[in-house]
Amino acid sequence: MLPARHRLRESADFSVAVRGPRAGTRLIVVHANTTDARAGLPPRVGFVVSKAVGGAVVRNRTKRVLRHLMTARTALLPEGADVVVRANPAAAGADAATLAADLDRALPTVLRRLKARA
C-alpha cells in the first residue's frame, strides 16, 4: 500500500501536477510537476482512472495494480515531486507485468523532462 505521505489527494494538486511534463504509452500517461512550496517534502502520487477504462470493478483493479507498482517506485521520485498516473482505456485489459513495463518506460522519461525544466 502507498503510505499516506505519498498520496496525492486534493483536486488542486492534481491540476498542478498535470500541467507539468508528461510521457505516455498506449496504456498509461505519467504527468509530473514540482513547486517551490513542496521543496524538501516527500513525493506524492495520484491516479486517474476514468469510466472510459471500464466499470467500477475494472477501474478499481487497475488502480490497485498501478498503486502497487508505484509503491515500489517512489524511491525513484525526487523530493517535492507530484506525479499523476492516468490510465488509458487499453489499460483495462493489461496484466500487471505489461503495466509495469509501460510504467518503467514512461516514468524515467517524465522525470528527465521534469529535471530539464528545473
Side-chain angles (χ1 to χ4, degrees), residues 55-111:
V57 173
V58 173
R59 290 194 315 269
N60 287 328
R61 183 192 73 81
T62 303
K63 209 178 320 184
R64 278 194 311 270
V65 170
L66 289 171
R67 191 179 304 122
H68 173 74
L69 294 171
M70 280 306 297
T71 300
R73 290 161 178 80
T74 54
L76 302 173
L77 304 177
E79 286 186 349
D82 286 341
V83 175
V84 173
V85 179
R86 183 169 42 95
N88 290 331
D95 61 350
T98 307
L99 285 170
D102 275 19
L103 193 56
D104 288 337
R105 192 174 312 119
L107 192 59
T109 303
V110 77
L111 292 178

Side-chain angles (χ1 to χ4, degrees), residues 20-76:
R22 70 176 182 253
T25 66
R26 188 178 68 83
L27 302 178
I28 60 170
V29 178
V30 179
H31 303 265
N33 208 351
T34 57
T35 60
D36 292 337
R38 295 237 346 111
L41 296 174
R44 298 183 298 181
V45 181
F47 303 92
V48 176
V49 183
S50 73
K51 287 184 179 180
V53 173
V57 173
V58 173
R59 290 194 315 269
N60 287 328
R61 183 192 73 81
T62 303
K63 209 178 320 184
R64 278 194 311 270
V65 170
L66 289 171
R67 191 179 304 122
H68 173 74
L69 294 171
M70 280 306 297
T71 300
R73 290 161 178 80
T74 54
L76 302 173

